[in-house]
Amino acid sequence: AKKLGKNNYQFFTPEMNGSAQTYIKLEKHLRRALEQDEFMLHYQPQVDVKTGTIIGMEALIRWISPELGMVSPADFIPLAEDTGLIVPIGAWVLKTACLQARSWQKIGRPTRVAVNLSSRQFHPVQTQQGSQHPLLNAVLNALDEADLSPELLELEITESILMQHLDSTMELLNTLKNIGVRLSIDDFGTGYSSLSYLKRFPIDILKIDKSFVNDITTDPSDKAIVAAITAMAKQLNLEVVAEGVETLAQLDFLCELQCDFVQGYYFSKPLSPDEVMTVQRQGILV
Ligand code: C2E
Ligand code: CA
Ligand code: CA
Ligand code: CA
């Protein structure tokens, strides 16, 4: 134990100490953030370039901490995953996004809402009744509480989620699919997985990662990759959404490659619910 203690001590070099303390502080505040209502969702429009209509909105979490200020999801989602806090936070995201989509539907603007999921949310828990999926309960509760039709909910999962816990994930995704929820693969093309999962899992949508869109106008291999993804998606009857579209030149290339749905700063940054209302009323994107 003494040896372990010594090793532990050595871990805290002055440099490490700073980041470990930051991490502990972040965790302390993150634990209270849900009950203190410090999260909100912003929504980024996904646009059908042929018609100019909004086909969906991706929900992106924001943490406005009184102590820490605005914390990026890139900084706290990994911590939420490590600590397991992503499970209650993820349930809150599902509920809030479904309520929001329902309110858009009520004002005559039915819009699909896409929610990001972490691999941790796919871990089954063992109960006396056997293995259960907290995620399935969270989805069903969110749809039920919002009275939202399942077709208006999309779940964004990553390739790495499909690669872990294969059997239970497959069962869960099939159940969600049967309920009528839509499933998309986020950051498509960046994982190290085999494409055979496109055949095995009930996927509806591929989201082309922005790393392929960034240099699409200058890098022939990025252009070739996007062309291959859209062609394959057509054959497999999947929708394709290109992410991170920032310029008209990128948009032109994507149109030429028959990629019909795009998302990115060129059309809109992620918007607060109030800003969404303004956009919907003014029809800025249409
Ligand atoms: P992501 O799912 O790949 O989301 C896209 C990110 O790219 C978002 O960053 C979005 O604001 C940003 N983005 C959108 N358009 C553009 C563009 O044209 N150019 C550039 N450079 N960036 C663009 P954000 O909101 O900071 O989210 C970062 C990541 O955090 C997300 O990446 C996602 O992995 C995670 N995340 C966000 N919200 C949630 C959530 O509710 N649950 C989970 N599990 N993860 C979330
Ligand atoms: Ca996403
Ligand atoms: Ca993405
Ligand atoms: Ca991501």
Side-chain angles (χ1 to χ4, degrees):
K2 204 177 173 192
K3 194 167 180 248
L4 191 74
K6 196 175 170 192
N7 284 343
N8 275 343
Y9 181 75
Q10 277 175 347
F11 173 79
F12 289 101
T13 62
E15 222 178 18
M16 292 297 289
N17 204 8
S19 64
Q21 271 178 6
T22 310
Y23 200 75
I24 290 163
K25 196 167 98 190
L26 203 61
E27 177 176 351
K28 192 181 99 197
H29 292 302
L30 188 62
R31 285 195 182 279
R32 290 193 309 228
L34 249 192
E35 57 194 65
Q36 299 187 349
D37 206 22
E38 293 169 8
F39 294 116
M40 74 178 298
L41 295 183
H42 279 202
Y43 298 90
Q44 187 175 37
Q46 303 173 326
V47 180
D48 179 339
V49 284
K50 282 206 183 114
T51 61
T53 50
I54 297 173
I55 56 143
M57 295 276 191
E58 178 177 359
L60 293 156
I61 195 167
R62 298 291 176 257
W63 178 19
I64 301 109
S65 159
E67 293 89 0
L68 307 167
M70 180 84 130
V71 188
S72 160
D75 291 328
F76 74 85
I77 291 292
L79 175 61
E81 284 167 353
D82 287 350
T83 54
L85 286 167
I86 193 67
V87 172
I89 293 173
W92 177 87
V93 171
L94 280 162
K95 189 181 101 175
T96 307
C98 286
L99 286 168
Q100 185 64 70
R102 178 68 181 133
S103 80
W104 291 330
Q105 191 181 28
K106 278 183 182 155
I107 59 164
R109 297 272 182 181
T111 311
R112 188 164 90 196
V113 73
V115 169
N116 289 285
L117 297 179
S118 291
S119 75
R120 181 75 180 244
Q121 293 173 270
F122 281 81
H123 291 194
V125 292
Q126 302 307 323
T127 68
Q128 278 167 349
Q129 286 78 40
S131 171
Q132 292 199 348
H133 294 295
L135 177 62
L136 180 59
N137 289 334
V139 169
L140 290 172
N141 284 340
L143 290 170
D144 187 51
E145 248 186 86
D147 192 24
L148 184 74
S149 67
E151 295 72 33
L152 289 177
L153 177 64
E154 174 183 330
L155 301 176
E156 295 196 1
I157 59 189
T158 56
E159 291 165 85
S160 61
I161 290 176
L162 298 181
M163 294 303 104
Q164 295 154 4
H165 330 283
L166 267 180
D167 290 344
S168 74
T169 304
M170 175 90 79
E171 182 193 291
L172 177 54
L173 292 178
N174 281 324
T175 306
L176 289 166
K177 180 71 189 176
N178 288 335
I179 291 165
V181 169
R182 297 166 61 89
L183 301 172
S184 60
I185 300 183
D186 201 1
D187 308 336
F188 183 75
T190 59
Y192 295 95
S193 48
S194 120
L195 287 176
S196 65
Y197 63 72
L198 291 177
K199 206 168 71 174
R200 285 183 285 135
F201 290 98
I203 301 300
D204 304 289
I205 301 154
L206 304 181
K207 298 193 70 181
I208 300 181
D209 190 66
K210 62 171 167 278
S211 62
F212 300 114
V213 174
N214 279 343
D215 301 325
I216 195 171
T217 60
T218 51
D219 186 335
S221 38
D222 282 340
K223 189 181 172 189
I225 289 168
V226 172
I229 294 174
T230 51
M232 176 182 71
K234 281 225 158 71
Q235 293 294 313
L236 294 173
N237 257 318
L238 303 169
E239 274 178 25
V240 179
V241 179
E243 294 190 284
V245 180
E246 295 180 348
T247 67
L248 180 59
Q250 290 169 340
L251 183 63
D252 284 343
F253 268 72
L254 289 163
C255 290
E256 186 196 318
L257 300 176
Q258 320 273 320
C259 179
D260 300 329
F261 305 133
V262 301
Q263 181 182 348
Y265 297 162
Y266 177 72
F267 281 105
S268 173
K269 67 178 179 39
L271 305 169
S272 71
D274 285 348
E275 290 170 322
V276 170
M277 290 295 277
T278 309
V279 166
Q280 282 175 334
R281 221 176 280 125
Q282 297 176 344
I284 285 172
L285 300 172
V286 263

